[in-house]
Amino acid sequence: MNDDALRYAERLVPRSYIDLARQARRSHEQQIRQIIEHRKLPEQPLEEHVIEQWINEMAQMDSNNFEGNVGVGEREGRIYSSLVARRHSLLSHGIGRSGDINAIQPKAAGSSLLNKLTNELVLDAIHALGLRTITHAVVIPMATGMTMTLCLLTFKKQRPQSRYVLWSRIDQKSCFKSILTANLEPIIIEQIENNNYLQTNVDEFEKQIHKFNPHEICCIISTTSCFAPRAIDNVQQISNLCQKYSIPHLINNAYGLQSTKIIHEIEQAKRSNGRIDYIVQSTDKNFLVPVGGSIVLTYDSKLFDALSHAYPGRASITPTTDMFITLLSMGKKGLLDLVQKRKNLFNLFYEKLIQWTKDNDEYILSS
């Protein structure tokens, strides 16, 4: 109820009681105003009923939810099932337009606001996690593999003569298939064994760059999060090669936002003037939401715009809404508490694993 309605309510309920309700409402409004104004995560989590009410209010800003409105155009956000409508909080327009996934929808001011604000909150979360030099973040409504394909196609458009991708081998299908789906040819750089680890063969990367014309190389893909005994790729040295030979660099950081070590490696690579174009990570693996979304990070506004323009047509708002709700439910404190909890649990697990290895004549690979 607005202030006028509350004044009329004072005729039915004592004013002192209405004033208490008015104060509670203003407190919630102040929280929301600050988030929109500063485009930052709240320090403390928002209560779920506040988040739900806010989303419902934004949904009412979309034309398909205007009272008495009957849409007859192409994009009216019609929903047959009331269950589906409730499941999606009446947000049926999606995000973006045919030429840009971040474009404002004329008939969907609420959905557009939610999309823009979520990307800003994600960027603030990324900064809080340690990637402080990142300047742009966007939630893409596709999982990591397909989003990497989108990045590769963006590079391909900028480098039409290119046909190869130099790829530090990882035995996981998504990354490999993302290259093939983009109709590019992977040049697989095998790892080298060092102290029982498989590590990045930086020398072989440079040999392959000399073997092929750098203009024929679409990009180099490095991987930060992987399974033992493969170690984190040497992101810093690869980024230096990319800078030296003017080759785009795509980082497969699927799980990496939850690891302070990986974040440090990426941050150091950028601070040492290495080249990093796009960093791709999963929403579900890093932020505890359902599968279906990813986050692309970049340091360059032109690269950000190029990726946004590369996405064909409109897109689902569901992964964005999931991230919006989750980030507000966590708040900055909740997010950082999860990172600290992960560290504590790792130390506990490591101590117990050491004891197990002693009892069973095994040893742990530890960098």
Side-chain angles (χ1 to χ4, degrees):
M1 292 188 290
N2 60 22
D3 287 334
D4 289 337
L6 288 174
R7 279 196 295 271
Y8 286 115
E10 292 173 6
R11 300 177 182 179
L12 303 171
V13 177
R15 180 174 180 176
S16 59
Y17 299 164
I18 296 296
D19 282 342
L20 290 174
R22 191 179 278 120
Q23 290 172 15
R25 190 196 67 178
R26 286 174 179 168
S27 174
H28 296 153
E29 289 174 346
Q30 178 73 359
Q31 287 179 305
I32 291 171
R33 185 193 66 78
Q34 289 182 346
I35 293 170
I36 296 175
E37 179 183 359
H38 300 292
R39 291 175 280 182
K40 303 288 185 183
L41 284 175
E43 288 296 326
Q44 300 295 329
L46 264 61
E47 296 178 21
E48 285 191 2
H49 72 90
V50 176
I51 300 172
E52 187 172 18
Q53 181 178 341
W54 187 6
I55 291 175
N56 288 335
E57 289 177 357
M58 285 191 284
Q60 296 309 311
M61 296 167 66
D62 288 1
S63 63
N64 61 295
N65 298 316
F66 292 172
E67 186 175 358
N69 181 66
V70 178
V72 294
E74 177 191 359
R75 302 177 180 90
E76 299 302 331
R78 302 181 184 90
I79 303 177
Y80 176 83
S81 168
S82 59
L83 178 60
V84 171
R86 292 195 304 274
R87 178 173 177 266
H88 292 274
S89 304
L90 300 176
L91 295 165
S92 58
H93 271 283
I95 56 174
R97 305 185 75 181
S98 58
D100 188 340
I101 195 175
N102 279 309
I104 303 299
Q105 270 279 355
K107 296 182 179 181
S111 294
S112 299
L113 173 61
L114 192 152
N115 182 46
K116 292 285 188 179
L117 186 55
T118 301
N119 288 336
E120 294 288 348
L121 296 181
V122 168
L123 181 61
D124 189 45
I126 297 301
H127 290 163
L129 291 171
L131 283 176
R132 296 179 178 87
T133 53
I134 290 291
T135 57
H136 297 82
V138 58
V139 177
I140 300 292
M142 301 186 295
T144 309
M146 284 302 296
T147 299
M148 290 185 65
T149 295
L150 182 66
C151 293
L152 291 170
L153 291 173
T154 304
F155 290 143
K156 177 68 174 175
K157 188 173 182 180
Q158 297 170 344
R159 301 166 69 86
Q161 303 303 316
S162 65
R163 53 183 295 201
Y164 303 110
V165 173
L166 302 189
W167 176 52
S168 186
R169 177 177 172 175
I170 176 171
D171 291 341
Q172 199 268 352
K173 289 183 180 180
S174 293
C175 188
F176 182 64
K177 290 175 70 176
S178 72
I179 301 171
L180 300 181
T181 303
N183 199 29
L184 294 164
E185 183 177 335
I187 305 300
I188 301 170
I189 311 297
E190 296 288 350
Q191 303 275 299
I192 54 175
E193 186 176 342
N194 185 16
N195 294 327
N196 295 317
Y197 274 99
L198 295 176
Q199 297 183 324
T200 314
N201 192 340
V202 178
D203 291 339
E204 184 62 23
F205 267 104
E206 191 153 24
K207 287 179 183 177
Q208 292 297 325
I209 292 172
H210 288 302
K211 179 179 178 180
F212 299 98
N213 187 325
H215 294 292
E216 293 187 322
I217 300 174
C218 184
C219 78
I220 291 177
I221 295 180
S222 60
T223 301
T224 60
S225 47
C226 49
F227 303 106
R230 189 194 191 279
I232 300 169
D233 269 330
N234 193 324
V235 175
Q236 186 162 336
Q237 290 192 30
I238 291 178
S239 64
N240 289 338
L241 285 178
C242 290
Q243 180 67 32
K244 180 179 178 180
Y245 294 101
S246 298
I247 299 172
H249 182 193
L250 172 60
I251 298 180
N252 174 11
N253 191 44
Y255 298 76
L257 291 180
Q258 58 191 294
S259 168
T260 53
K261 177 177 175 58
I262 290 175
I263 291 228
H264 175 76
E265 293 294 326
I266 295 174
E267 188 74 356
Q268 287 300 111
K270 184 59 182 178
R271 290 184 185 276
S272 66
N273 295 319
R275 177 167 179 171
I276 299 173
D277 294 79
Y278 293 126
I279 309 169
V280 178
Q281 39 272 303
S282 166
T283 54
D284 59 279
K285 295 176 180 68
N286 296 287
F287 291 100
L288 308 177
V289 296
V291 172
S294 59
I295 298 166
V296 179
L297 307 176
T298 183
Y299 303 89
D300 188 294
S301 58
K302 291 182 180 179
L303 286 172
F304 178 80
D305 291 340
L307 185 76
S308 299
H309 295 155
Y311 191 100
R314 288 188 297 166
S316 169
I317 198 173
T318 300
T320 298
T321 306
D322 290 342
M323 283 297 298
F324 180 78
I325 293 170
T326 301
L327 288 174
L328 294 181
S329 299
M330 287 180 178
K332 191 169 293 185
K333 182 180 184 302
L335 176 63
L336 297 180
D337 283 349
L338 282 173
V339 174
Q340 187 59 50
K341 183 178 180 181
R342 181 184 186 274
K343 289 182 178 180
N344 295 340
L345 289 174
F346 173 80
N347 291 333
L348 177 63
F349 173 79
Y350 191 69
E351 290 173 7
K352 292 184 178 296
L353 188 60
I354 287 176
Q355 186 57 52
W356 182 88
T357 57
K358 290 178 180 178
D359 296 340
N360 292 273
D361 194 27
E362 299 285 354
Y363 66 95
I364 299 173
L365 294 178
S366 181
S367 58

